[in-house]
Amino acid sequence: MSNRTFTLADSLYQYVLSVSLRESDVLRRLRQETATLPMAGMQIAPEQGQFMALLVRLLGARRTIEVGVFTGYSALAVAAALPDDGRIVACDVSAEWTATARRYWREAGVDHKIDLRLAPALETLDRLLEEGAAGSFDFAFIDADKTGYHEYYERCLTLLRRGGLIAVDNVLWDGRVADPDARDADTEAIRAFNRALSGDERIDLALVPIGDGLTLARKR
Ligand code: CA
């Protein structure tokens, strides 16, 4: 996985950041702290966080879902772009990583917008559906275990309103999706997921080569 836009050469990537990145001090410190962790590659790229915040503002989103929180960078970027009464239902299973997330969310003053559910994401999404939340969300970001992508996507699609947007991370998987020698389960799952969405008539679709590849699916 890659936590920068890996499709750009280093010099051009640095140029993009130098002329466009507007990262808050809290986001930057969270990114720097996370970069010291062994799982640092799971953090999204800063330019991707800014891009998703822009999408959330364009959508006028108030209710959003996040599947896979890690240390909370993407949720913080999205929460800062939501109105004060906006809410993220944030799904993760790690109390350890999300403790870091909570610390930075509090510091940024957005913790009241983030409803962290520490449970398998499918349980949380199914509970939302049981509670009648279908069709009520504006935006969802999926960035968790790759073999679970398709089920997360189906639940989120049901939970979204028409015109709502799902963003799915790591769909280029550091280029391995196009490497015929890569046959591991994660790569195969992402390939199958990308193939399924290409023919999915329920959505408008774009695969944006930012970060590690970000698929945008707008519910028709
Ligand atoms: Ca990711």
Side-chain angles (χ1 to χ4, degrees), residues 31-85:
R31 182 162 59 86
Q32 288 167 344
E33 179 175 335
T34 305
T36 66
L37 300 173
M39 306 291 279
M42 283 169 56
Q43 177 164 248
I44 65 164
E47 67 277 15
Q48 181 181 336
Q50 185 171 320
F51 179 59
M52 296 200 314
L54 181 75
L55 294 174
V56 162
R57 287 199 168 95
L58 281 170
L59 283 163
R62 308 187 87 82
R63 282 167 62 79
T64 80
I65 299 166
E66 178 161 292
V67 179
V69 172
F70 189 41
T71 58
Y73 188 96
S74 48
L76 177 49
V78 167
L82 290 174
D84 196 57
D85 63 349

Side-chain angles (χ1 to χ4, degrees), residues 30 33-34 37 39 42 66-76 88-107 111 114-121 143-144:
L30 169 54
E33 179 175 335
T34 305
L37 300 173
M39 306 291 279
M42 283 169 56
E66 178 161 292
V67 179
V69 172
F70 189 41
T71 58
Y73 188 96
S74 48
L76 177 49
I88 303 176
V89 176
C91 309
D92 206 287
V93 290
S94 170
E96 182 187 357
W97 300 136
T98 55
T100 301
R102 284 183 196 268
R103 182 155 46 85
Y104 281 94
W105 296 342
R106 261 197 307 277
E107 192 185 333
D111 49 325
I114 304 173
D115 175 5
L116 178 65
R117 312 269 182 106
L118 280 179
D143 184 14

